[in-house]
Amino acid sequence: MEQLLVKQLLITIYRCTNLHFDSLHDTLVMDIKRKFENNCSEQYALDRLAKHYNVSISSLSHRFRAVTGTSVMKYLASCRIAHAKQLLIETDRSIGEIVENCGFSDNSNFSRTLKQLNGMSPTDFRKQYKAE
């Protein structure tokens, strides 16, 4: 009886591990991540992404969260913020140009998001981190 229980346990662990391993290599999710990272300024919508990849919105959302641990749109927002922070530090572009270049809907949306994540306005962030 003990051997049977051990075998069942090992089979269960193997199945769970393989499912998790397969989800980490989900090509659809990796393609979307690459798309966001390479062009975060484009206006994306969950329904258009799902249609493009020929999956349901629900399936896309679940698969993306299983691999990344976050939602599709939160991942896109983090890519946009990362790009914006890089531009704030490395360029002298205006906040408006950065907002447009990074795909944010407007200045206040960008400022609010950056402040929530970093505790400071875009101007203060630039002052603190820009190399003189």
Side-chain angles (χ1 to χ4, degrees), residues 1-123:
M1 184 65 162
E2 289 176 345
Q3 286 180 338
L4 180 61
L5 289 174
V6 170
K7 284 180 183 179
Q8 286 178 330
L9 178 63
L10 291 173
I11 290 169
T12 302
I13 291 170
Y14 175 77
R15 286 180 181 158
C16 291
T17 305
N18 269 354
L19 290 174
H20 184 65
F21 182 79
D22 290 344
S23 71
L24 291 175
H25 293 92
D26 190 321
T27 56
L28 177 145
V29 173
M30 295 303 147
D31 191 49
I32 292 171
K33 285 177 59 180
R34 210 173 8 264
K35 185 183 297 261
F36 289 172
E37 291 161 3
N38 292 330
N39 187 10
C40 64
S41 64
E42 189 174 323
Q43 294 303 313
Y44 296 98
L46 201 53
D47 60 337
R48 287 194 312 246
L49 285 169
K51 187 175 182 177
H52 175 77
Y53 289 101
N54 200 29
V55 296
S56 71
I57 294 171
S58 176
S59 175
L60 174 63
S61 297
H62 290 300
R63 286 170 69 177
F64 197 90
R65 186 177 295 276
V67 174
T68 65
T70 190
S71 73
V72 176
M73 291 300 134
K74 281 186 180 179
Y75 189 86
L76 174 59
S78 69
C79 289
R80 287 178 171 163
I81 284 292
H83 185 58
K85 287 167 38 174
Q86 180 182 5
L87 292 175
L88 284 168
I89 294 168
E90 296 175 359
T91 72
D92 290 325
R93 291 183 189 174
S94 71
I95 303 299
E97 288 175 302
I98 292 172
V99 165
E100 187 176 314
N101 188 265
C102 294
F104 286 95
S105 58
D106 55 50
N107 285 13
S108 62
N109 180 21
F110 167 63
S111 294
R112 183 177 49 256
T113 304
L114 186 70
K115 192 164 190 164
Q116 284 174 345
L117 296 174
N118 292 90
M120 59 185 86
S121 70
T123 305

